[in-house]
Amino acid sequence: MAENGESSGPPRPSRGPAAAQGSAAAPAEPKIIKVTVKTPKEKEEFAVPENSSVQQFKEAISKRFKSQTDQLVLIFAGKILKDQDTLIQHGIHDGLTVHLVIKSQNRPQGQSTQPSNAAGTNTTSASTPRSNSTPISTNSNPFGLGSLGGLAGLSSLGLSSTNFSELQSQMQQQLMASPEMMIQIMENPFVQSMLSNPDLMRQLIMANPQMQQLIQRNPEISHLLNNPDIMRQTLEIARNPAMMQEMMRNQDLALSNLESIPGGYNALRRMYTDIQEPMLNAAQEQFGGNPFASVGSSSSSGEGTQPSRTENRDPLPNPWAPPPATQSSATTSTTTSTGSGSGNSSSSATGNTVAAANYVASIFSTPGMQSLLQQITENPQLIQNMLSAPYMRSMMQSLSQNPDLAAQMMLNSPLFTANPQLQEQMRPQLPAFLQQMQNPDTLSAMSNPRAMQALMQIQQGLQTLATEAPGLIPSFTPGPPGSTGSGGPTGPTASSAAPSETTSPTSESGPNQQFIQQMVQALAGASAPQLPNPEVRFQQQLEQLNAMGFLNREANLQALIATGGDINAAIERLLGSQPS
Amino acid sequence: GSATLGEMILKVPRNFRLLEELEEGQKGVGDGTVSWGLEDDEDMTLTRWTGMIIGPPRTIYENRIYSLKIECGPKYPEAPPFVRFVTKINMNGVNSSNGVVDPRAISVLAKWQNSYSIKVVLQELRRLMMSKENMKLPQPPEGQCYSN
């Protein structure tokens, strides 16, 4: 039988198995040992002096785990290590592993990277949806979640990917992983005002073709959409994150009750597959799939009473990812009564519809976005992708149909509140702006990378000129808006190519405002071909060309049109086409 | 009892086995959610062990650290160890007044095999915390211990 006692045992069991003599004889001088610290999520090695105390060890590791030392609980070989103990006392030697549990104050989660939510989680059960986001891989990344500074990290996420929708989903994930950011966004008054306009919501929802299909198949949905009370309630709920969680919790409970009714489970499943799934799919297209798809059982409401249940842990779809989709629609219906779609997604629905180009503008003002902006300006491809996305298009459409609303939205954007002057200028230009966005020429210009690049260069050139020689570019001073006359006498290209969408002096606006202005300019410039009578526009250039000896007015004009008024380029063109 | 020579040779001596478990516990084998080690480093008999279970997420036990005492008797690993919770817990199969784990109620103890180990017991207890019947049971305030 197995022996007890010493016959085969080494003198000091803590030294390891069958090691006859403790070869790792610990000398008196403090040698550095490597100890691995393991949490349920990760592990990391630390080098510390052998004779450290537990307190010292905690201090050494607290930075890495982004916690205070008093939040750290260390366990070794089944014992909790007290601060005043030493590592040696517990037999912690080189190469061994201690376990770490991080106690966060108000949010009991086993990991450190989730910062406590300042805006307050209501109850622990309400925190469940939050903890749902923990599976997101971005949680464990060093992006400093929970603050918008995390967005800066996005640029290092590899924005070289020209795929804007990827970018979106990344941002969305970031957003979902960061409740603080969500809260901030929700509290953005612009967002709030969007949410409180049921007409707009309905319009945007209806504009989605998939939604329309769905409505045909399930007339209850159209009831929902047309019932202003329900809409208002939904919006109210979507606006208030606390209420939303509360509601979701109730739904979860209600659904779990429903499940236990005989036959109820099947009914739920049916509801889900018939109604909610297509809606969610419609809504979630660009968000990487239906987040509830993995929930085999459960979810969805549908006829009658219960909203969907989600025991699933997937992150909720991000309602506010820019640019938001009009497809979000789908889920708005839920709320409590009837409704299809889960309450969870209802938030996403309305949230989605919130987006407008101006939302994008408003988040431009965050520091994290600056670097993002840089990336975008450097890479016109991104803009192209963004603008060619179908949802952008439909959104633009609805916006242009309702210019007042668009104006409202734009002006409420915090971006513009900082600069009332800009506001004033933008206001009348808005309809034109929107028109231009609609214009297929604009769009095709936008999607032509070379054109975009050229425009970028122009803008940069303008910028430089503005700073170097402000007097030279009158087009930069505030002037009559919408005028298409060329602003500057000299101004190569730009001044005529960008018929002064007048801008306030760029020097006083931040880089983000500049960008907006440039975009507007670019758009105006892209519509240049539409302007009447190039002859008038290029009057000056024509005269110059004449003086230089290019007497063929027709050819000159053609060249000027082709080069957008750039004399030098026009000359080259003319020279190139002439024999010898 | 009297063991045949064959038995003596074939069965892994208890000490070696426990020493292996000790080493595993110190190296942090596993996913980091359970931990175990000798209660007293000088214990030559390798009998008394302490264990630790970190409450699984999304259960009522979340983020709590449960301390246990495990006793590996002379017949271990042929016989299962005695296990009891030191930290108060409300869970099926655990005596609510003294924390003793009922070997008939926990499957790895009831159907013990000599290939099982302390780690297996701890992991199984943790798994049971996640079961539907346990995961929402109301718990005593954190940090309380049984008095014996």
Side-chain angles (χ1 to χ4, degrees):
Chain A
M1 265 302 282
E3 305 116 344
N4 292 347
E6 293 107 324
S7 49
S8 52
R12 294 285 310 272
S14 63
R15 293 270 181 192
Q21 302 302 329
S23 50
E29 70 260 11
K31 99 182 155 115
I32 304 290
I33 58 172
K34 291 207 217 33
V35 179
T36 303
V37 176
K38 200 176 201 181
T39 68
K41 298 267 185 241
E42 49 190 330
K43 71 177 185 191
E44 184 114 352
E45 214 178 52
F46 292 87
V48 292
E50 192 179 38
N51 58 357
S52 306
S53 70
V54 172
Q55 173 69 27
Q56 288 169 332
F57 188 69
K58 282 187 182 178
E59 278 160 18
I61 70 176
S62 65
K63 253 199 302 271
R64 163 66 183 85
F65 292 101
K66 298 191 184 51
S67 310
Q68 312 284 338
T69 57
D70 53 10
Q71 286 177 288
L72 306 177
V73 179
L74 286 170
I75 296 168
F76 177 73
K79 296 199 203 72
I80 294 184
L81 307 180
K82 302 203 183 28
D83 288 358
Q84 61 272 20
D85 297 340
T86 65
L87 300 184
I88 291 189
Q89 194 178 335
H90 285 279
I92 300 173
H93 302 293
D94 191 29
L96 297 182
T97 299
V98 298
H99 297 287
L100 174 66
V101 177
I102 297 162
K103 300 237 168 224
S104 44
Q105 266 78 17
N106 52 353
R107 302 246 332 255
Q109 283 183 348
Q111 65 190 33
S112 57
T113 50
Q114 192 83 314
S116 49
N117 186 352
T121 34
N122 325 342
T123 59
T124 44
S125 51
S127 69
T128 335
R130 299 281 171 69
S131 57
N132 287 349
S133 62
T134 57
I136 299 181
S137 58
T138 50
N139 254 355
S140 53
N141 64 31
F143 284 166
L145 288 175
S147 65
L148 289 177
L151 278 176
L154 261 188
S155 57
S156 57
L157 256 183
L159 278 187
S160 54
S161 99
T162 54
N163 188 350
F164 195 76
S165 54
E166 260 180 37
L167 178 60
Q168 263 190 61
S169 51
Q170 283 166 358
M171 286 192 64
Q172 170 199 344
Q173 281 178 355
Q174 278 270 346
L175 193 57
M176 283 315 300
S178 160
E180 268 183 27
M181 196 146 89
M182 282 261 278
I183 299 268
Q184 282 188 18
I185 286 172
M186 278 307 275
E187 286 169 7
N188 181 345
F190 163 64
V191 167
Q192 298 256 351
S193 62
M194 271 298 289
L195 281 176
S196 49
N197 185 343
D199 283 334
L200 177 66
M201 300 311 250
R202 191 170 347 120
Q203 196 180 11
L204 287 169
I205 289 171
M206 294 298 216
N208 179 1
Q210 274 166 319
M211 194 55 202
Q212 286 167 1
Q213 255 187 7
L214 210 57
I215 287 182
Q216 279 168 6
R217 277 189 274 141
N218 296 302
E220 297 106 27
I221 298 180
S222 64
H223 283 318
L224 270 175
L225 284 175
N226 290 326
N227 182 345
D229 279 337
I230 291 185
M231 285 294 280
R232 207 160 291 132
Q233 196 178 13
T234 312
L235 295 176
E236 185 65 39
I237 286 174
R239 226 195 320 192
N240 184 347
M243 205 154 74
M244 199 156 68
Q245 281 166 1
E246 190 64 39
M247 194 185 68
M248 273 161 34
R249 228 168 11 103
N250 290 338
Q251 287 173 6
D252 281 356
L253 288 172
L255 257 190
S256 58
N257 288 339
L258 192 67
E259 248 193 11
S260 53
I261 298 174
Y265 177 85
N266 287 331
L268 281 177
R269 180 189 274 273
R270 244 184 315 121
M271 291 176 206
Y272 174 66
T273 44
D274 287 344
I275 295 178
Q276 196 191 5
E277 201 161 2
M279 287 179 83
L280 279 175
N281 285 336
Q284 306 309 327
E285 224 172 48
Q286 69 276 26
F287 292 153
N290 179 355
F292 301 119
S294 59
V295 181
S297 61
S298 80
S299 76
S300 166
S301 43
E303 305 124 38
T305 48
Q306 304 299 349
S308 63
R309 152 220 190 89
T310 46
E311 196 80 305
N312 85 80
R313 313 290 173 200
D314 291 339
L316 295 177
N318 176 15
W320 295 282
T326 53
Q327 302 161 353
S328 59
S329 56
T331 46
T332 351
S333 30
T334 30
T335 63
T336 48
S337 51
T338 71
S340 8
S342 66
N344 306 333
S345 2
S346 81
S347 62
S348 57
T350 53
N352 278 335
T353 54
V354 164
N358 295 299
Y359 174 61
V360 181
S362 66
I363 62 179
F364 278 178
S365 47
T366 68
M369 285 303 284
Q370 295 298 338
S371 52
L372 195 61
L373 261 186
Q374 255 179 356
Q375 292 264 356
I376 289 184
T377 51
E378 284 159 17
N379 188 351
Q381 191 75 1
L382 270 181
I383 296 197
Q384 165 203 341
N385 286 338
M386 182 172 88
L387 287 174
S388 57
Y391 44 82
M392 271 298 271
R393 203 161 301 189
S394 52
M395 185 181 60
M396 283 299 178
Q397 257 177 5
S398 16
L399 278 182
S400 60
Q401 282 161 17
N402 195 346
D404 282 336
L405 196 58
Q408 196 64 28
M409 283 179 348
M410 203 155 186
L411 299 171
N412 283 341
S413 157
L415 174 64
F416 293 110
T417 49
N419 185 348
Q421 204 182 12
L422 186 59
Q423 257 189 33
E424 285 312 304
Q425 287 167 1
M426 289 301 281
R427 193 194 296 262
Q429 292 164 15
L430 266 177
F433 179 73
L434 286 170
Q435 277 301 53
Q436 283 158 3
M437 290 299 275
Q438 292 278 315
N439 178 10
D441 279 346
T442 313
L443 291 172
S444 56
M446 282 288 178
S447 44
N448 178 355
R450 283 185 302 284
M452 282 305 293
Q453 248 170 0
L455 282 171
M456 290 295 173
Q457 285 171 358
I458 291 171
Q459 287 151 19
Q460 278 164 10
L462 262 186
Q463 227 175 327
T464 329
L465 262 179
T467 49
E468 298 289 326
L472 267 183
I473 314 292
S475 61
F476 269 71
T477 61
S483 67
T484 58
S486 66
T490 60
T493 68
S495 47
S496 43
S500 60
E501 289 291 310
T502 61
T503 62
S504 48
T506 52
S507 49
E508 74 178 18
S509 53
N512 46 353
Q513 286 183 353
Q514 273 183 16
F515 179 63
I516 303 290
Q517 293 162 11
Q518 286 163 7
M519 278 202 52
V520 174
Q521 278 183 354
L523 289 173
S527 68
Q530 280 182 344
L531 297 169
N533 206 349
E535 261 193 65
V536 171
R537 284 176 56 216
F538 297 136
Q539 178 75 20
Q540 244 162 17
Q541 284 90 329
L542 278 172
E543 279 170 5
Q544 275 176 307
L545 284 173
N546 249 319
M548 277 187 236
F550 296 98
L551 301 170
N552 185 346
R553 197 177 169 77
E554 274 309 309
N556 291 352
L557 200 54
Q558 291 303 320
L560 280 170
I561 292 175
T563 60
D566 180 352
I567 291 193
N568 291 331
I571 291 175
E572 279 181 276
R573 227 185 152 80
L574 290 168
L575 287 175
S577 64
Q578 282 178 9
S580 79
Chain B
S2 57
T4 66
L5 189 61
E7 277 175 349
M8 283 170 64
I9 292 172
L10 289 175
K11 290 197 183 130
V12 178
R14 171 184 178 277
N15 287 26
F16 280 145
R17 168 54 186 273
L18 285 168
L19 287 170
E20 265 179 12
E21 294 200 45
L22 181 64
E23 188 181 11
E24 269 195 353
Q26 292 181 338
K27 288 200 177 141
V29 165
D31 60 358
T33 51
V34 297
S35 173
W36 64 97
L38 272 181
E39 182 176 326
D40 178 359
D41 280 346
E42 310 285 328
D43 177 6
M44 298 297 155
T45 65
L46 307 176
T47 303
R48 268 175 293 282
W49 297 69
T50 54
M52 195 87 44
I53 298 177
I54 298 169
R58 292 183 291 275
T59 67
I60 194 127
Y61 310 96
E62 180 169 13
N63 224 37
R64 295 203 190 190
I65 301 173
Y66 290 95
S67 188
L68 297 92
K69 282 209 195 307
I70 300 141
E71 210 171 282
C72 299
K75 297 224 176 84
Y76 183 89
E78 298 306 315
F82 295 109
V83 185
R84 74 175 180 90
F85 276 84
V86 172
T87 315
K88 278 197 181 168
I89 186 173
N90 182 9
M91 186 173 145
N92 285 305
V94 179
N95 184 313
S96 52
S97 53
N98 57 18
V100 170
V101 175
D102 182 355
R104 297 158 300 180
I106 308 295
S107 59
V108 298
L109 295 176
K111 301 197 182 78
W112 177 262
Q113 299 176 16
N114 65 3
S115 55
Y116 291 164
S117 63
I118 296 172
K119 173 176 83 172
V120 167
V121 174
L122 292 174
Q123 285 176 333
E124 173 67 9
L125 286 170
R126 187 171 188 272
R127 196 187 65 76
L128 286 171
M129 288 184 194
M130 298 195 271
S131 71
K132 275 199 157 37
E133 54 169 16
N134 284 322
M135 67 186 285
K136 293 192 177 160
L137 293 175
Q139 297 298 314
E142 199 171 342
Q144 283 188 359
C145 295
Y146 295 104
S147 44
N148 51 351

